[in-house]
Each structure stands twice: as C-alpha cells, then as structure tokens.
Amino acid sequence: MRVIIPFSFIFFCLSSCANMGQKQVSVKPVKSVDINSVRSGEVGDRSLFVCGDWPEKNWWDDFQDPDLSKAIEQGIRESPSIQSVEARVLAAKAQSDIVKSKLFPQIDALFNLIWVYLSKDIHKKFPSVDQNFHFYTAGFDFTYEFDFWGKNKKLFLASLGDVKTEEALYQQAKIALSTSIAMKYYDLQSTAVKIRIVSAILENRAKMLSMSNLLDEHQIGNGIDVNQRTRDVLILQESLAALKEELDLHKSSFKTLLGQNPSGDLEFGFAWNVQFAPFELPPEIGLNLLARRADLAAQMARVKKSADLVGVAVSQFFPSVNLAGLIGFQDLDFSKLCSSQSFMPSLIPLIQLPIFHGGKLRANLREKIAVHESIVFEYNELILKAANEVVKGISRLKSVNERLGYQINKVAAVKIISDLTEIKFRQGIDSLYRSLQSQEEFLWAELHQVELQRLKYDAIIRLIKALGGGYGNE
C-alpha cells in the first residue's frame, strides 16, 4: 500500500501534464510558384532577354556608370536607415546570447552578512546565545534548469530566428536603398536632358514668335498668330520651370538617400549615356525565389521562430526540473568563516508538475498555433506577391522595350525629315518656318524617347529588385 499510493500520485501528475488538447498545425508554407512558362516565353526574344544567372551582389556595376556605382556604395555606407537596421541586427544577436545563457548553469559569488539582535524574552529562553551576534555566509550559489523537453533550446532557436530575420531585413534594406538610388539617379539624368530639349523647343518657338511679330509689323500676318505663338512660349516656359523644380526635388531626394545634406551639390555632372544589354533571366525562377529574396528569407525565419514557440508552449505541459545549491561557508565568527569546520554545501532539487492552471497552458498553446498559422499565411501571400512582381517586371520591361523600339524608329524618321527640310531651307526651296516646325517635331520625338529610356531603366531596376537584387550571391 505504501508503494501504490506514491506511484498513483506520480501517474496522476504525469497524466495531468499530458492533457494539452489539440496541438497540430494545419497550414504549411508554399515551397514555390511555377512561373517558368512566363520566363520560357520571353527568353526567345534574344534582343531583350537571355538565359543567365541571378543578379550579382553589386548588380549596379553592370550599368557601367562609375557615378552610379559610387553613389550606391556611398549610400549603403553612410545612410542612417542602413545603420539603424544594422544596429537592430546587433541587438538581436545580443538578445540571442541572453536567451542562450539559460542553457547553462547560473553561478554567482555570494557573501551574506546577517546581524541579529535577540529580544530580551528570547534571550532569557536561550541565555547561552549572545544577544547581539552576526551570521556570515560566503561561497558560490548556482541554479540550473534541466531542459528535458527542449523548452530552453527552442527558446534559443526562436531567438536565432530573430537574428536571421534582422539579418535578412538588413540585406533587404540595402537592396531597397540601392534600387531607390539607381532609379532616382536616372530620374535626375533624364530630367536634365528633358530640360535641355524643352529649352531647345522654347528657343524654336521664340524664333517663330519673332517671325510672327515681324510679319504683323509689316501687316503681312495677323494678331491671332502672334497671340498663339505667345501662348505657346508661355506654356513652354511654365513647363521648363516645372522641370527645373522637378530636378531640384530629385536632387534633394537623391542626396537624402545617400545620407547627406539635401541642399548640398551633386558630385557628378549630367550625362545621358544610354546602354542597354540583354537582361539575364535565371532558370527555375519559381523554385529558387525563396533563396534569392531577402524579404522571403526574413518571413521564413519568422515562420521557423513561431514554430519553435509552439514547441515551447508544448513543453510547458511537462514537469520542469530545477536544481539549486550553495557551495561555501557559514559561521558566526568571521575569523573562522573559511575553515573546514564552516564548510556547508547544500542542494535544493525542485520538480514542478503543472496540474491545474485554469486553462492557461492550453490557451497559450492555441495562441501560439494561431500566430504560427497567421505567419505562414503571410509568408504564402508574400511568395505569391514576389512571383507576381517578377511576372509584372518581365511584362513591364517587354512592353517598354517594344514602345522604345517604335519610338527610336520614329525619331530616326523624323530626324531625316528635319535634316532634309533644313537642307531645302538653306537651298531656298523651303521656308524657315517649315524648317523650324520640322526641328520641333524632332525635338518632341526625342523628348518622348528620353522618357521611354528612363522607363526602361526603371523597369530593369525593378525587375532586378524582384529577382532579389543580388541576395544569395554573398
């Protein structure tokens, strides 16, 4: 009977510990999205896409623009936003080391002094004890939690998940910054070219206005033409002022991205050197997208962390085993504190069995499972968005490239007409007015071509970002 009762009690406690209810996770992360059909269809156009590798870590060097490369490297090095994320990585690593410490015994040096003054009544009962005495304790105390169910290990793995998340977000911040700098750089360069072209158109219109005024003075023309030319000049002056304002805004935004004073001067000049090479599309984009996107890697780290926290919640249903103790000396006489007679080791084992917590443990487990499933859903949504960005990026680049091809042909045709009209004017066959009209038509066509070239750069940079921006090529 004496043996049955303790074993019955232990069986009851362990049965209570195992009562955790539903604990299965029903949602799984999506491994890949099949978008190879889109890639295969576009690789056939060798002038725009070729089969190749993923973007390199320093993808901006492929643009062969030293000013662009210098600006991006400077921004990554000096931008406060990057430095802030880098600091969060260090904080996550420090927090992980704090959690890791729970896997080891905690040992502290101890010195304790207790001064006791006995009341008169107690001293009368114990006259042999001094009424005023000191109690000294010195040594090392320790505590240790045996991690039989892996709770502390899973907490440590969850903290490593935070580190991996912040590291991936750090890489994503660099990718976002570098692509933003590149797009803003080409906004700057294209706007400067547009100002030059619009200034040429304005000069052309000013010549037409002078001709109309001259004709009106000699009563050959009419006031309507003069007013129309004046209106056109004013419209172009307004457009030129808007472009100059846009250039100033691009300058301040660009300097801010670099982590510099937005009112400072640019360290490079304006030059519109357009160089487009075929874009490399890697094979098996859908299967390898997870390893090449920093934002997906960060979300997957969150998924793994939440799964580890589910394991922590499960482990709380089982007994916790702790051991505490003291190895040291205790004595009433300080001079004898370190003698062998004062040596006093002690051990305090503690086993805690969760029996009844009012549903707290099961509710905590349900919450951790729900949070984990929510994070998995977010990851699945993010991988679909990432695949959509790649598909849209390919489609956008193809469309802009096609439009740019038509515009280049148009500019070439209009240029021939303008040159022939200029020759005819110089030979006295055609009028100056007709020559100016042809020149203006060419300038408008060139202006639209510059905008399409900017859009192509923008599409290329966005597609590089959609493909990971060099993440995974460390």
Side-chain angles (χ1 to χ4, degrees):
M1 189 67 178
R2 292 179 179 178
V3 176
I4 294 175
I5 292 176
F7 273 103
S8 299
F9 176 75
I10 293 173
F11 177 77
F12 171 76
C13 292
L14 293 177
S15 299
S16 301
C17 293
N19 186 17
M20 64 182 69
Q22 180 70 25
K23 66 180 185 68
Q24 292 186 356
V25 177
S26 59
V27 183
K28 302 295 182 183
V30 174
K31 298 297 182 182
S32 63
V33 178
D34 185 12
I35 56 177
N36 287 325
S37 58
V38 177
R39 174 194 174 277
S40 301
E42 303 303 340
V43 169
D45 184 2
R46 294 288 180 177
S47 63
L48 181 59
F49 295 107
V50 294
C51 182
D53 203 355
W54 294 83
E56 295 293 332
K57 179 181 178 181
N58 296 338
W59 53 266
W60 48 85
D61 290 336
D62 293 338
F63 288 80
Q64 300 181 1
D65 190 329
D67 291 331
L68 173 63
S69 298
K70 181 181 177 181
I72 291 177
E73 290 165 4
Q74 183 178 5
I76 292 175
R77 186 174 59 252
E78 299 180 5
S79 173
S81 61
I82 298 298
Q83 294 169 354
S84 172
V85 181
E86 189 174 12
R88 291 207 302 267
V89 173
L90 297 177
K93 289 181 178 179
Q95 181 61 34
S96 178
D97 290 338
I98 293 173
V99 177
K100 183 181 179 181
S101 66
K102 295 182 180 180
L103 298 173
F104 305 98
Q106 308 296 305
I107 302 175
D108 297 297
L110 172 67
F111 178 78
N112 189 21
L113 169 62
I114 301 176
W115 174 69
V116 178
Y117 185 84
L118 299 179
S119 66
K120 292 181 179 180
D121 290 339
I122 295 178
H123 188 254
K124 288 179 181 179
K125 295 179 181 179
F126 303 97
S128 60
V129 179
D130 291 340
Q131 189 174 6
N132 181 13
F133 66 90
H134 297 81
F135 189 75
Y136 300 95
T137 303
F140 299 92
D141 67 342
F142 68 91
T143 58
Y144 180 64
E145 180 179 1
F146 293 93
D147 197 24
F148 291 121
W149 324 115
K151 180 185 73 173
N152 291 333
K153 181 180 179 181
K154 289 183 175 66
L155 283 172
F156 173 57
L157 292 176
S159 67
L160 287 180
D162 285 333
V163 174
K164 292 178 180 178
T165 298
E166 294 298 337
E167 288 177 339
L169 291 177
Y170 172 63
Q171 296 299 327
Q172 180 64 21
K174 292 201 294 185
I175 292 166
L177 179 65
S178 61
T179 52
S180 296
I181 291 174
M183 286 188 286
K184 191 59 65 177
Y185 176 83
Y186 286 111
D187 287 342
L188 268 170
Q189 296 287 5
S190 63
T191 303
V193 178
K194 291 175 184 177
I195 289 175
R196 177 182 60 79
I197 295 174
V198 172
S199 297
I201 296 173
L202 178 59
E203 183 180 353
N204 197 311
R205 289 291 178 92
K207 291 179 180 178
M208 291 183 179
L209 176 59
S210 297
M211 290 175 57
S212 297
N213 285 329
L214 185 61
L215 292 173
D216 187 58
E217 288 176 4
H218 292 80
Q219 298 182 352
I220 301 174
N222 57 71
I224 296 177
D225 288 340
V226 173
N227 289 324
Q228 287 178 340
R229 302 300 175 208
T230 303
R231 179 203 60 190
D232 294 342
V233 168
L234 291 173
I235 291 174
L236 283 170
Q237 287 175 338
E238 181 186 2
S239 299
L240 185 60
L243 282 173
K244 290 180 178 179
E245 179 188 4
E246 184 179 339
L247 182 65
D248 290 337
L249 293 175
H250 287 323
K251 282 182 182 179
S252 62
S253 299
F254 185 78
K255 297 291 287 186
T256 302
L257 287 172
L258 298 186
Q260 298 178 351
N261 183 355
S263 62
D265 295 329
L266 296 174
E267 298 177 0
F268 55 84
F270 296 116
W272 191 241
N273 300 320
V274 178
Q275 297 180 3
F276 293 122
F279 193 95
E280 294 187 13
L281 285 179
E284 303 295 338
I285 295 178
L287 291 175
N288 298 320
L289 198 58
L290 171 59
R292 299 290 179 171
R293 291 270 303 222
D295 53 347
L296 289 177
Q299 190 64 22
M300 177 52 74
R302 293 190 184 103
V303 170
K304 292 179 180 178
K305 173 192 173 181
S306 63
D308 289 326
L309 292 179
V310 171
V312 172
V314 171
S315 68
Q316 291 176 345
F317 285 85
F318 298 98
S320 64
V321 181
N322 296 270
L323 180 64
L326 172 68
I327 300 177
F329 303 89
Q330 287 184 338
D331 206 296
L332 296 175
D333 188 351
F334 182 77
S335 62
K336 298 179 180 179
L337 181 61
C338 295
S339 66
S340 59
Q341 299 297 323
S342 301
F343 182 67
M344 191 202 74
S346 63
L347 288 176
I348 307 174
L350 174 64
I351 301 177
Q352 290 180 302
L353 306 174
I355 302 299
F356 178 74
H357 288 257
K360 173 185 174 182
L361 298 181
R362 284 192 293 273
N364 180 58
L365 177 58
R366 290 197 305 271
E367 186 226 354
K368 293 298 185 289
I369 291 176
V371 170
H372 173 69
E373 291 181 345
S374 172
I375 294 174
V376 171
F377 283 130
E378 291 175 1
Y379 167 78
N380 291 343
E381 181 183 14
L382 186 59
I383 197 170
L384 290 174
K385 287 182 177 179
N388 183 47
E389 287 177 7
V390 175
V391 174
K392 286 172 61 178
I394 293 174
S395 177
R396 182 187 296 112
L397 180 54
K398 179 183 177 183
S399 173
V400 172
N401 184 71
E402 184 177 5
R403 292 168 57 196
L404 179 58
Y406 295 143
Q407 188 64 23
I408 289 174
N409 292 333
K410 177 183 177 181
V411 169
V414 173
K415 176 64 174 173
I416 292 173
I417 295 173
S418 177
D419 291 343
L420 290 175
T421 307
E422 177 70 14
I423 293 172
K424 291 171 66 178
F425 163 69
R426 294 188 181 281
Q427 292 177 349
I429 302 174
D430 214 334
S431 65
L432 174 60
Y433 181 78
R434 186 79 179 92
S435 175
L436 292 175
Q437 277 188 324
S438 298
Q439 290 176 17
E440 183 174 324
E441 185 179 358
F442 166 71
L443 290 172
W444 282 115
E446 187 181 23
L447 183 66
H448 188 49
Q449 176 178 296
V450 170
E451 175 61 16
L452 288 174
Q453 289 170 336
R454 184 198 68 81
L455 289 175
K456 185 172 180 179
Y457 274 124
D458 187 86
I460 290 172
I461 295 167
R462 290 181 185 275
L463 184 53
I464 288 173
K465 183 179 180 181
L467 291 173
Y471 180 76
N473 279 336
E474 303 298 328

